Structures are given as C-alpha cells and as structure tokens.
Amino acid sequence: MASGGYRNGGSKSTAKLDRPLSVNSNVRPALKPKQSTAPPAVRRSSAASLAGAKDDAGVPGRVRVAVRLRPRNAEELVADADFADCVELQPELKRLKLRKNNWDSDTYEFDEVLTEFASQKRVYEVVAKPVVESVLEGYNGTVMAYGQTGTGKTFTLGRLGEEDTADRGIMVRSMEDIMADISPETDSVSVSYLQLYMETIQDLLDPGNDNIPIVEDPKTGDVSLPGATLVDIRDQQSFLDLLRVGEAHRFAANTKLNTESSRSHAILLVHVRRCIKGRHDRDMAVSSENGISAQLIKPLKPPVVRKSKLVVVDLAGSERIDKSGSEGHTLEEAKSINLSLSALGKCINALAENSPHVPVRDSKLTRLLRDSFGGTARTSLVVTIGPSPRHRGETASTIMFGQRAMKVENMVKIKEEFDYKSLARRLDVQLEKLIADHERQQKAFEDEVERISLEAQNRISEAERNYADALEKERLKYQNDYMESIKKLEEQLVMSQQKLSHDRTGVETKDECLDKTCNNEGSGPSALEVAELKELLEKEICMRKAAEEEVNNIKSQMAQWKRSEASGNVDIQKLRKMLEDEDRQKKKLEEEITLLRSQLLQLSFEADQTRRSLERGGSGKVLNNLDSLMNQVKHMQLRESGNGQKASIAKLFEQVGLQKILSLLESDDADIRIHAVKVMANLAAEEANQEKIVEAGGLNSLLMLLRSSEDETIRRVAAGAIANLAMNETNQELIMAQGGISLLSVTSAEAEDPQTLRMVAGAIANLCGNDKLQTRLRGEGGIKALLGMVRCDHPDVLAQVARGIANFAKCESRASSQGTKTGRSLLIDDGALPWIVQNANNEVSPIRRHIELALCHLAQHEVNAKDMISGGALWELVRISRDCSREDIRNLALKTLTSSPTFQSELRRLRIEY
C-alpha cells in the first residue's frame, strides 16, 4: 500500500482545548477496571436505524471525525517536486486549509487533525480508543476509514505490526484493550471478518461462504448476518492469526494510484458479551422445626448481561477511472465501489440536512452501517487524504464528506438484558445440590439410626449373657457349699455315733454309776451335737441370707438392664420420629422448589410485560419537556448551519424558553436540575447566546449551583458552562466580581472526578488570559488552585492547567514589556516553576506546547532569569530552541536566550555557544 512511512512518537489522546468546553464532549477517561453501575431492571435496547430513530433511553453523541494526512511517497516526491502541498494543517487549532491557488484557500475544522508525523498509537487513542471504551461499557461502536485510494486507510486500520510493533493498526490495538479489560471466566469475545465485494457479502474466514444475506429485526431494527463465521477469541495471537487469514482472502489489484489497492470494503465485527453482577436481596433462612438443619435460598435476581458490538470498516478507496487506469474487471470493481460510496454519501447528506427520507436501501453498505450513522452506536470516522496538488479534487471531496459526517448525531444506548438462561442453570444446579445434600443427610441419618439400634441390641444381648452367666455361677456356688455342709454334718454325725457306741461298751460296776454315767454320757454328747448343729444352722442361715442378697442384686441388675432396654426403645422411637420429620421436611423443600419454579415463570412474564410497556411508554413529563427543549436548541443549530441563515436571538430564546430553563435550575428534583444545567451549558457554548444568558441572570444561577449543590454532575456541568462564558472578557470581569474564582478554587479542592477538574481548570485558564485580573486572580487563590489540580495526573486536566499558566505568563510578559509590571513573576512566587520545568518535555503535545510557551514568556522578563537558572529552566529553553517542532516557539526561545545578559553569562560559563 503506497501510504508512505509513519514516524513513531505520538502522544495520548487529549480533549480539544482551544474551543469552548462542552458537557457533551466525547473525551473519555482512560481504560479502568470494570466497574460497574447497578444494572437497570429491564433491557434498555430499542429500535435504531440509519435514519436517526431516537428515544428517551439514549444519550446524544455526535459522529466524531478526524483527518489524517499521508506523507508524500517516492513518486510524488519526484512528480510534485516543484509544487507545494495543497493541504496545510494547523493541528493545535484542529484546522485544515485546502489551497485553491497561491493566494486563496478554504479552512475546515475537525475534531482532530493528524499530521503526516502522527504515530499509529496517537491515531488509535484519538480516533478509536473512546469507541472501544464505550463498547466495554455496553454501547455499540463503529470505527471507519474513508478516503481516496492510496491514502493510508488499510495502514491505519488493518496493519498487523509484524515487522515493527509501533505500526499496529486500530484493529489490533482495539482487541488488545478489549482482551485486557474483560474477564475470561464470565465474559466472551467473538469475531467475524467479512468483505463487501461487487454488492455481495463474502466471509473472509470461509471463502466458500460467498453470499451472506442481511437480516433486519422488524422490532428493534438490529442488523444481523446469519451464516457468517463467528470465532471465539481467547488471546491476542489467535486474533492476529484470524486477521492474516482474512487479509489473504481479500480482493486487491494493482492500479496507477496504488500497487496493492483494496477492491472491497472490509468489515470486522467484534461481539462483546459481559456479565454484570446485580444487587441481591436479603437471604431467606428456612429452618426445620427441631432446629437441626437450615437451608439458605438465594434471591431470584437474574444476572444482567451487556451485549455490545464493535464494527471496524475499512472502506475501499474512491477513485477516478482516468487516474487509476482501471479497465476490464478492475473497471467493474471500481464502478461498484464508487456506487456504494455514493450511496453512503447520500445517506449522510440526508442525515446532515435532517431530511425526512434517508435512502438506506440503495446499497448493502448503507444497510450494514444503518446503526453507525444516526443510530445507537458511538461512531468515529477517520478520513485520509494525500498532499499532492494533482489530486486536489479528490481531497476536497473527502474533506466535504467528513464535514457532513460531523453533523450526524447518534443516540447511543446501553444494551442490557436479563440472562434468564443463566438463572435457570443456576437454579437447576442449586436444586440438584439441595437434592444431593438432602439425600446425603438422609442416608447419614439412616446409617446413624441403624448404628444406634445395632449398638443397643448388642448391649442388651451382652447384658442378658452376663446376667445368665452370673446367675449360673452363683447357683453352682451355693449348690457346692450346700453339699459340703451336708457332707460335714454327716461326718460329724457318724463320729458322734461311734463315740457313743464306744462309751456304752465300757465296764461299770455299779448300776447307779452305770446309769448315772450312762445318763451323764447320754446327755453329754447330745448337747454338744445340738450346739454344733445350731452353729452349722446359723452358718447355713447366714449363707442363705448372703445368697438371697446376691440373688436380689442380680435381680436389681436385671431390672436395670430391662430399664436400659426400655430407654433404648424410647431412643429408637425418637429416631423414628426424627425420620418422619425429615420426610416432612423433604416434602416441604419439594413444595418450595415448585414455588421457586413458579416464581421464575412469573418473573419472566412480568419482565416481558415491563419490556413491552416501556417500548410503548416514555419517561416523565418534566424530563420529556426538558429534553424537547434541548432537542429544539440542537435542531435550530442544525438548521442554521445547514441553510446558512442565522435566526435572530429573540426568536431562538422564544422557542427554547430561557426563563423556564433558569427556573428549572432551582427545582427540587435532582434529575430536572441536571437536565436544565446541561441545556444551559449547551446554550453557553454558542457565543451568540452568552450575552442573553448573562442578562437573564444565568451566570448568577450557575455560580449559585456551584456554591450550593452537592451533586457531582451538576457541579461539573455548571463549571463547564462558566468556562464557556469565561471566553468573553466582559463576562470574565463579572465572574471575578461575583467571587467566581473563589468558588472555582473551592470546587477544585473538593472534586475528584477528572472531568469536573477539567471544566474548573478550563474556566480558571480562561480567566488567566485577562491582563486586568492578574493580581486579583492570584490573590483569591487562582494560581494555587491550578497547581493543586495537578494531583489528578489526568492528561486533559494537566493540559488545561498548562494552558492557564501559559496565559498568565503571557499577560505578565506583556505587562513587563509595557512597564506596568515590575518584580519577579507571581507564578514563581506561588511555586509553579518546578512543575513547569518537570512537564516541559511532557509526551502529551498540548501540555508540552503550553509549558514551552510559558517558559519563553517567563524568560522574557530579566528579573526571572536567576530563578529560572537555579530551577533548571535554562536547559529546557536550550532544548526548546533546538528541538521544538513549532518554529515560532523555537524562534521565541532562541531570541530570549540571545537577548538576556544573565542567560548569556550562564551559557558562556557552561561553554555553550549561542
């Protein structure tokens, strides 16, 4: 592609600083971790079309247009060596001059003007990065390149950066930011890569699929391409491989204007699906009656899913047949390209002129892009041009295309919906988990009951065996003791009888003696025997009593075992009752599960009803009236810019109702105040409206809001409106007289939002440019407030701070040269010099440019020279005089160094010649 080489060294994207600050600016903060706001209750997407269908759910967003100049290629360096470029760029003013001849030229303004030295990184951050951030937040987005053949469209969008990573184009860099921000566990990214060739949509990832239809949803107007290959992206390398496959299948041809000219429109579709966690209600605890178990049932809040789409369109280059030398099949390709681009131009003309009919269906290209122009997508367009005066006609046509596209306004909307499938899956998983947990608990309970029952039976059996063994042992013991006692008694009886017989056979001589002896002998053994028997009987009685006591103990133990058995039976009954309670609990859980399913169906039904009612209905009356006022103002501005006829101020305010807007600034409803102050800020952005706003008391109302409101949005928008009013010198004095600088200083100290700080810094920067207010502004803390805002470290805020310091230094330099200012600079007194020196070589172009101007103005006053030398500013002045890209600033720094005796003395001491 004959687009020439692009030098590295771009900077981060910045807001346009030299124009009035607008609350509807498309400048966005850098990518941040998702975060996210609470999702709405219903899906907020609605029908959108190229004809500009709008509703109250959307946010206005104009198509942003950047112009990029290609450097001269080798052929042009030879052919146009004696001719000057037909294009002159003024990037700091965001202007472009197109020369008609040597003495006349036309001037055009764009959102961004990129020189031939702009790096691929800067082009991405200015053109595509805000769109990518919107896509990650849930909006649709489109990035498109338009221009003549050979001006660098494919280089800007589709460069892979295989040889030099700095050459990576918008497609590759967009996917890098998307993959870095999403969560692989919950989010997904899928890609389709197509080409529109000869009014036929072909799949670059599947060349056999060469006739893909376009299908439009009759309800929402969304465009889909059924049958197109959709590839899930998991890492950056797989995306690069996909782009290589697609580029290999894209049609290209060799023409006089370009050795590798694209003969088709390439369309990259990136679908992003993100899951947003919603707020959950309080968990409901369901406990069983006996308090043994409890289950937590999650609330029925389905997750919210944001579906967004990024469309990157590399249009085929427009060309003239006589210049490109196309013939044969290449000629037919050129005719088809020019017809589709012509249809796109007609649609944009109709949208820019607010025409009731937009010819969307004239081409498949316009049908595919119906959401990008006048629809719901945030759109950025980069128009590429060449410097050659031979192609001035094509360059002028490209510039006019971009100018008309800047008048098109989209109504961007977040597309959210409930993920009922995910909720159903989650409920199914929860249900299966509850069933499994209940089954496990029931099984464990049954096992525990069985264990206790078995243990009780074992204990009872063991007790019975022990009792029987003890009883048998005691019986045998007592039986043995009894038998031994009987045996002893029998032996004693035998012995007594033997003794008695022996005594009776003795010889006695006398009968009396014999009788007496016999009587005595007969009574003697009998008494002894009786005594022994009594003793034995007493022992037997004691033994029987002991045996009876043992029997009673055994009986008591038996009774105790029986009571234990009865207690075990009671435990078994309790366990059975617990089983019955578990069965009832199971039935209760099954009923609750049935109720959950019915609630899910009811939620689905109510969500459908709510969606249909929202599609039929609208917002509140007051907000509708206020939005209608804003729309009236914007439509009036469109008619003025389109027809070239300026409506009178009285007629404009008669239609908008300025007094009514001012009265709404004091409303109790926060939403009404926010809408009213936004309308006021948009009116204040037009210089023709500022005098009427001040006369009607609008400035007082804005200052009052800045003083009393605690709402961050109101303070940010009010500060932006004050910044716009501060562009006028008369208004600057009124702002200072009413304590505006003190209010702005307090606001800057309390605010944390970068956009609020940007608005406040812009207002103070405008006031710094007034010679009459220098001393008072510094006395009321204006310089301190500017330096305090550098804590934000946001490039947009720092650029406004640098602009304010440059304005202040310029006024001081002018006053010093006129003799009305003596002494050291107030900026140095307030400690601004270290920050100025630190940021003199900042990578952000606006910050660096303003700081360089501030250093040059400070150096023009000789009394500041010593402080600047000790603070390191001399080295920065030397660098500026040699390396600054702006010739006027470079010459100013050189003039200052050569005219200051103090600087010359220090340079000679350091042996630096100037």
Side-chain angles (χ1 to χ4, degrees):
M1 183 174 188
S3 57
Y6 288 91
R7 183 174 61 85
N8 294 331
S11 61
K12 298 181 179 178
S13 61
T14 57
K16 188 171 183 179
L17 303 177
D18 294 326
R19 302 176 67 186
L21 298 171
S22 171
V23 297
N24 287 331
S25 173
N26 283 338
V27 176
R28 308 180 61 82
L31 281 172
K32 52 186 180 297
K34 236 62 212 309
Q35 56 15 200
S36 131
T37 59
V42 296
R43 182 175 178 181
R44 299 193 295 179
S45 64
S46 62
S49 68
L50 192 66
K54 302 176 183 178
D55 54 36
D56 294 332
V59 177
R62 178 177 59 77
V63 174
R64 289 179 54 82
V65 180
V67 61
R68 186 181 192 183
L69 178 64
R70 171 182 61 75
R72 288 192 178 189
N73 54 32
E75 179 185 353
E76 292 171 346
L77 289 174
V78 175
D80 301 334
D82 297 331
F83 300 94
D85 291 348
C86 66
V87 177
E88 178 185 351
L89 301 184
Q90 297 177 336
E92 66 279 0
L93 300 178
K94 302 188 189 312
R95 291 178 182 172
L96 177 148
K97 288 186 176 181
L98 181 64
R99 290 193 179 93
K100 294 181 179 179
N101 44 48
N102 292 335
W103 58 88
D104 194 10
S105 63
D106 293 327
T107 302
Y108 304 93
E109 289 190 4
F110 289 91
D111 292 303
E112 290 292 340
V113 174
L114 303 167
T115 68
E116 64 270 29
F117 303 109
S119 66
Q120 291 282 78
K121 178 181 178 182
R122 171 163 174 76
V123 174
Y124 168 72
E125 291 181 343
V126 168
V127 176
K129 191 169 186 177
V131 178
V132 174
E133 292 172 351
S134 297
V135 171
L136 290 172
E137 292 175 0
Y139 299 93
N140 286 343
T142 302
V143 179
M144 188 168 69
Y146 177 91
Q148 184 190 6
T149 295
T151 53
K153 298 182 296 301
T154 304
F155 182 90
T156 300
L157 296 182
R159 194 75 169 185
L160 299 183
E162 295 174 328
E163 299 177 356
D164 186 356
T165 56
D167 284 345
R168 302 190 316 277
I170 286 175
M171 291 182 181
V172 177
R173 295 176 186 269
S174 299
M175 186 58 65
E176 287 176 354
D177 281 353
I178 291 173
M179 296 303 295
D181 194 70
I182 67 168
S183 173
E185 291 80 10
T186 58
D187 306 335
S188 63
V189 179
S190 55
V191 170
S192 295
Y193 199 14
L194 313 168
Q195 70 175 352
L196 179 59
Y197 177 71
M198 300 286 287
E199 283 302 299
T200 302
I201 299 177
Q202 301 177 0
D203 196 336
L204 290 175
L205 305 180
D206 182 10
N209 189 9
D210 58 357
N211 192 11
I212 300 174
I214 300 176
V215 177
E216 300 176 12
D217 191 325
K219 294 183 179 179
T220 64
D222 292 339
V223 176
S224 61
L225 300 170
T229 303
L230 195 62
V231 180
D232 290 334
I233 301 299
R234 294 300 179 186
D235 52 47
Q236 187 68 14
Q237 186 59 42
S238 62
F239 178 69
L240 292 175
D241 295 339
L242 181 146
L243 286 184
R244 291 191 192 98
V245 172
E247 288 299 323
H249 295 145
R250 191 175 176 189
F251 287 101
N254 184 6
T255 68
K256 292 181 179 180
L257 296 177
N258 193 356
T259 58
E260 185 125 359
S261 175
S262 300
R263 313 308 292 169
S264 65
H265 307 297
I267 302 162
L268 178 69
L269 302 176
V270 182
H271 300 272
V272 181
R273 183 182 186 275
R274 308 195 74 179
C275 183
I276 307 299
K277 293 183 179 180
R279 294 173 297 183
H280 295 288
D281 297 333
R282 191 172 48 186
D283 289 342
M284 299 181 294
V286 180
S287 302
S288 61
E289 295 178 358
N290 54 16
I292 293 177
S293 62
Q295 288 290 339
L296 289 178
I297 299 177
K298 296 297 182 182
L300 286 174
K301 287 292 184 181
V304 176
V305 174
R306 288 183 178 175
K307 296 180 179 179
S308 56
K309 179 174 63 176
L310 174 64
V311 181
V312 183
V313 184
D314 180 11
L315 295 174
S318 61
E319 60 185 43
R320 291 185 180 178
I321 306 303
D322 55 345
K323 290 187 177 183
S324 65
S326 299
E327 56 186 22
H329 185 67
T330 307
L331 177 61
E332 297 300 322
E333 291 175 340
K335 290 180 180 179
S336 177
I337 292 171
N338 289 338
L339 284 175
S340 60
L341 293 178
S342 176
L344 178 61
K346 290 179 181 178
C347 290
I348 290 180
N349 288 342
L351 289 169
E353 296 172 1
N354 205 15
S355 173
H357 171 67
V358 180
V360 180
R361 297 188 173 275
D362 287 358
S363 170
K364 287 188 177 181
L365 177 63
T366 55
R367 291 178 64 190
L368 284 172
L369 298 178
R370 64 181 303 163
D371 193 42
S372 304
F373 291 95
T376 60
R378 188 180 298 281
T379 302
S380 286
L381 171 67
V382 54
V383 294
T384 58
I385 59 176
S388 176
R390 292 181 297 161
H391 305 305
R392 185 191 178 283
E394 288 80 358
T395 301
S397 175
T398 301
I399 291 172
M400 292 309 300
F401 180 90
Q403 289 287 295
R404 289 190 293 270
M406 289 178 66
K407 300 177 183 179
V408 178
E409 183 171 306
N410 295 346
M411 191 64 66
V412 295
K413 291 177 292 185
I414 291 180
K415 295 190 176 181
E416 295 179 345
E417 63 182 14
F418 286 140
D419 191 359
Y420 290 106
K421 292 182 181 179
S422 175
L423 175 62
R425 289 194 299 270
R426 191 178 70 189
L427 289 177
D428 288 339
V429 172
Q430 187 176 357
L431 175 61
E432 294 299 330
K433 184 178 179 182
L434 288 174
I435 293 173
D437 290 344
H438 180 266
E439 185 177 0
R440 283 193 293 270
Q441 291 176 2
Q442 185 176 4
K443 178 63 177 174
F445 184 75
E446 292 174 353
D447 293 342
E448 183 69 15
V449 170
E450 184 177 357
R451 186 187 64 79
I452 294 175
S453 300
L454 183 60
E455 184 179 352
Q457 291 176 0
N458 292 334
R459 291 174 63 184
I460 292 171
S461 299
E462 185 179 358
E464 290 178 348
R465 287 193 302 271
N466 293 336
Y467 176 74
D469 294 341
L471 187 62
E472 182 66 20
K473 289 179 180 178
E474 290 295 328
R475 189 183 65 79
L476 293 174
K477 179 181 178 183
Y478 289 136
Q479 186 177 1
N480 293 331
D481 291 343
Y482 179 74
M483 294 301 292
E484 290 178 358
S485 299
I486 296 299
K487 186 177 180 181
K488 288 180 179 180
L489 286 175
E490 289 177 349
E491 290 176 353
Q492 290 179 1
L493 181 59
V494 171
M495 291 176 66
S496 297
Q497 290 176 352
Q498 290 176 356
K499 185 177 181 182
L500 181 60
S501 298
H502 184 273
D503 288 339
R504 285 179 179 176
T505 60
V507 179
E508 293 277 26
T509 59
K510 295 180 176 177
D511 291 338
E512 293 179 357
C513 293
L514 180 63
D515 294 336
K516 184 176 180 182
T517 303
C518 291
N519 291 335
N520 290 335
E521 288 177 357
S523 60
S526 179
L528 180 61
E529 183 179 356
V530 170
E532 291 177 354
L533 288 174
K534 285 183 179 179
E535 184 178 357
L536 289 173
L537 286 174
E538 289 177 356
K539 288 182 179 180
E540 186 70 21
I541 291 169
C542 290
M543 291 176 66
R544 285 183 179 276
K545 287 181 179 179
E548 289 176 355
E549 289 178 359
E550 289 290 336
V551 171
N552 291 332
N553 288 334
I554 292 173
K555 287 182 178 180
S556 65
Q557 289 180 4
M558 191 70 181
Q560 185 176 359
W561 284 115
K562 287 183 178 180
R563 286 194 297 272
S564 298
E565 182 181 2
S567 176
N569 292 333
V570 172
D571 290 339
I572 292 173
Q573 292 296 329
K574 288 183 178 180
L575 290 174
R576 287 176 180 172
K577 185 177 180 181
M578 289 168 60
L579 283 175
E580 293 175 356
D581 292 340
E582 279 295 322
D583 289 335
R584 289 195 297 272
Q585 183 69 15
K586 179 180 178 181
K587 293 179 180 179
K588 193 172 182 180
L589 285 175
E590 290 175 353
E591 292 175 358
E592 290 175 353
I593 289 169
T594 305
L595 179 61
L596 286 174
R597 287 176 175 172
S598 64
Q599 288 179 356
L600 177 60
L601 294 175
Q602 181 66 22
L603 273 177
S604 300
F605 177 74
E606 291 177 356
D608 291 337
Q609 282 188 334
T610 305
R611 186 182 297 109
R612 288 194 294 269
S613 63
L614 286 178
E615 289 175 355
R616 292 193 300 267
S619 301
K621 181 177 179 181
V622 176
L623 295 180
N624 282 337
N625 293 336
L626 197 57
D627 288 339
S628 66
L629 292 177
M630 186 180 289
N631 290 331
Q632 289 178 21
V633 174
K634 292 180 177 178
H635 291 164
M636 179 65 72
Q637 294 171 354
L638 286 174
R639 287 197 298 270
E640 290 179 359
S641 60
N643 299 329
Q645 298 176 354
K646 296 291 184 179
S648 66
I649 295 177
K651 182 177 180 181
L652 179 60
F653 285 123
E654 179 182 353
Q655 292 185 4
V656 175
L658 180 60
Q659 293 299 331
K660 184 174 181 179
I661 298 173
L662 292 176
S663 65
L664 292 176
L665 291 175
E666 302 176 1
S667 173
D668 294 334
D669 192 325
D671 290 335
I672 295 177
R673 289 200 306 273
I674 290 174
H675 280 72
V677 74
K678 284 184 178 181
V679 173
M680 184 63 66
N682 279 279
L683 290 173
E686 298 294 332
E687 185 177 357
N689 302 335
Q690 294 178 359
E691 183 178 356
K692 285 291 184 180
I693 291 174
V694 174
E695 290 178 356
L699 178 59
N700 296 335
S701 299
L702 292 171
L703 292 172
M704 183 61 67
L705 285 176
L706 203 61
R707 180 183 295 109
S708 60
S709 178
E710 297 181 357
D711 187 275
E712 184 70 17
T713 302
I714 292 178
R715 297 175 71 182
R716 179 176 69 251
V717 180
I722 293 172
N724 290 336
L725 293 175
M727 300 285 288
N728 182 278
E729 184 176 350
T730 303
N731 296 341
Q732 293 171 355
E733 296 177 358
L734 291 175
I735 292 172
M736 291 295 295
Q738 297 181 22
I741 191 65
S742 300
L743 288 175
L744 292 170
S745 300
V746 172
T747 303
S748 69
E750 296 176 350
E752 296 295 336
D753 180 53
Q755 297 305 319
T756 303
L757 293 174
R758 180 173 71 92
M759 298 295 183
V760 173
I764 297 177
N766 290 337
L767 295 173
C768 287
N770 193 322
D771 296 345
K772 304 175 184 177
L773 306 177
Q774 293 268 297
T775 305
R776 184 172 178 181
L777 186 142
R778 186 251 185 172
E780 295 184 9
I783 302 302
K784 292 289 187 182
L786 276 178
L787 295 176
M789 282 184 280
V790 302
R791 71 183 187 277
C792 176
D793 202 28
H794 193 281
D796 294 345
V797 178
L798 298 182
Q800 294 290 355
V801 171
R803 185 169 70 89
I805 290 176
N807 289 343
F808 198 95
K810 182 178 181 180
C811 291
E812 280 192 331
S813 174
R814 187 161 51 239
S816 298
S817 62
Q818 294 173 356
T820 59
K821 170 74 169 64
T822 58
R824 192 171 62 170
S825 169
L826 299 178
L827 290 173
I828 298 178
D829 289 340
D830 280 354
L833 186 60
W835 187 84
I836 294 174
V837 174
Q838 181 183 357
N839 289 271
N841 198 20
N842 194 290
E843 62 178 357
V844 182
S845 175
I847 300 176
R848 184 176 65 254
R849 174 168 54 85
H850 289 306
I851 292 298
E852 289 174 346
L853 283 173
L855 279 173
C856 293
H857 289 310
L858 288 174
Q860 287 182 336
H861 196 25
E862 186 68 19
V863 73
N864 299 330
K866 292 184 179 180
D867 291 307
M868 295 183 71
I869 291 173
S870 62
L874 177 61
W875 294 107
E876 295 300 331
L877 284 172
V878 172
R879 180 191 59 79
I880 294 169
S881 67
R882 293 177 176 178
D883 301 334
C884 181
S885 59
R886 288 273 303 270
E887 184 178 359
D888 53 343
I889 299 178
R890 191 167 62 246
N891 293 336
L892 181 60
L894 180 61
K895 179 181 177 182
T896 303
L897 288 172
T898 55
S899 61
S900 170
T902 305
F903 286 152
Q904 284 294 310
S905 175
E906 181 66 15
L907 290 173
R908 284 193 297 271
R909 187 182 70 81
L910 297 173
R911 297 181 180 179
I912 299 175
E913 296 182 359
Y914 258 86

